[in-house]
């Protein structure tokens, strides 16, 4: 069992990669609502003058990391400071997908594949306005695929395979 609710470090995290660790836990609303760096609106980023500094290497980028998204593994040497990612794939997380995940509107990558989540895809996922890669494959998800996923303008990778979902794959406007 992993404790993901520490109040001191989680608000600043932008990249959370716990993939392939056999962690067993539920994702809870109190934990998700602490990840405030993944909730930043795009307007805040664009109007914050401290974001527009002259020294590009220290202002816009952070250190090296390897992440998995869009079905591939990527080694990112420079990470844009607005890049946010959650990869909990290949673990034993369980329970229903919390609707509070939809509050993470600055999230670019969400990979919850190969866990033991069940239930419906929350309608709040329509709020993931910056998400480019959404992987909810290999679970026990049921119900209709929310058509609102088609309104996610940046979504370029959607994997819902190996679930018990019904309906059409949403198309983008």
């Amino acid at each position: 069992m992993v404790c993901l609710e520490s109040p001191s470090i989680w608000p600043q995290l932008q990249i959370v990669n716990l993939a392939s660790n056999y962690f067993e836990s539920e994702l809870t609303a109190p934990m998700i609502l602490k990840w405030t760096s993944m909730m930043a609106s795009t307007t805040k980023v664009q109007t914050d003058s401290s974001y527009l500094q002259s020294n590009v290497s220290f202002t816009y980028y952070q250190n090296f990391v390897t992440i998995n998204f869009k079905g591939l593994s990527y080694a990112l040497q420079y990470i844009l400071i607005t890049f946010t990612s959650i990869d909990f794939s290949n673990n034993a997380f369980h329970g229903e997908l919390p609707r509070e995940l939809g509050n993470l509107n600055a999230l670019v990558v969400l990979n919850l594949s190969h866990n033991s989540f069940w239930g419906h895809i929350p309608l709040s996922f329509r709020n993931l306005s910056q998400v480019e890669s959404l992987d909810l494959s290999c679970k026990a998800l049921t119900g209709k695929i929310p058509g609102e996923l088609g309104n996610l303008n940046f979504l370029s990778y959607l994997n819902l395979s190996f679930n018990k979902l019904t309906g059409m794959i949403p198309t983008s406007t």
Side-chain angles (χ1 to χ4, degrees):
M1 184 105 168
V2 63
C3 178
L4 299 174
E5 298 188 22
S6 172
S8 61
I9 61 170
W10 288 91
Q12 300 303 317
L13 287 180
Q14 291 176 237
I15 298 174
V16 182
N17 187 344
L18 299 177
S20 304
N21 280 293
Y22 304 106
F23 286 130
E24 182 179 341
S25 180
E26 285 191 38
L27 297 181
T28 64
M31 171 186 56
I32 292 167
L33 294 174
K34 290 179 183 177
W35 298 342
T36 55
S37 64
M38 296 183 188
M39 293 181 197
S41 69
T42 53
T43 23
K44 179 181 175 190
V45 170
Q46 291 171 356
T47 59
D48 183 359
S49 61
S50 66
Y51 182 73
L52 300 172
Q53 303 275 335
S54 60
N55 189 344
V56 172
S57 63
F58 294 110
T59 304
Y60 294 110
Y61 296 96
Q62 295 177 356
N63 296 329
F64 176 87
V65 71
T66 301
I67 62 170
N68 295 305
F69 69 100
K70 297 184 182 181
L72 299 170
S73 180
Y74 292 91
L76 302 177
Q77 186 172 3
Y78 298 104
I79 306 154
L80 193 61
I81 62 171
T82 58
F83 182 82
T84 57
S85 169
I86 296 174
D87 186 351
F88 286 174
S89 62
N90 299 301
N91 280 291
F93 288 107
H94 57 274
E96 292 190 51
L97 292 174
R99 70 176 184 274
E100 289 78 10
L101 282 168
N103 290 10
L104 306 179
N105 61 339
L107 199 57
V108 175
V109 175
L110 179 58
N111 186 349
L112 301 175
S113 65
H114 299 276
N115 279 287
S116 298
F117 294 111
W118 62 78
H120 300 335
I121 298 172
L123 289 178
S124 65
F125 276 32
R126 68 179 172 220
N127 299 328
L128 299 174
S129 58
Q130 301 300 309
V131 75
E132 293 180 22
S133 176
L134 179 59
D135 193 340
L136 303 175
S137 63
C138 302
K139 302 182 192 349
L141 297 177
T142 58
K144 189 174 179 183
I145 299 170
E148 292 85 357
L149 295 180
N151 296 331
L152 300 175
N153 293 330
F154 295 104
L155 186 62
S156 62
Y157 179 83
L158 175 64
N159 190 349
L160 302 174
S161 63
F162 301 102
N163 282 294
K164 297 174 185 170
L165 297 167
T166 61
M168 302 285 289
I169 300 292
T171 56
S172 175
T173 55

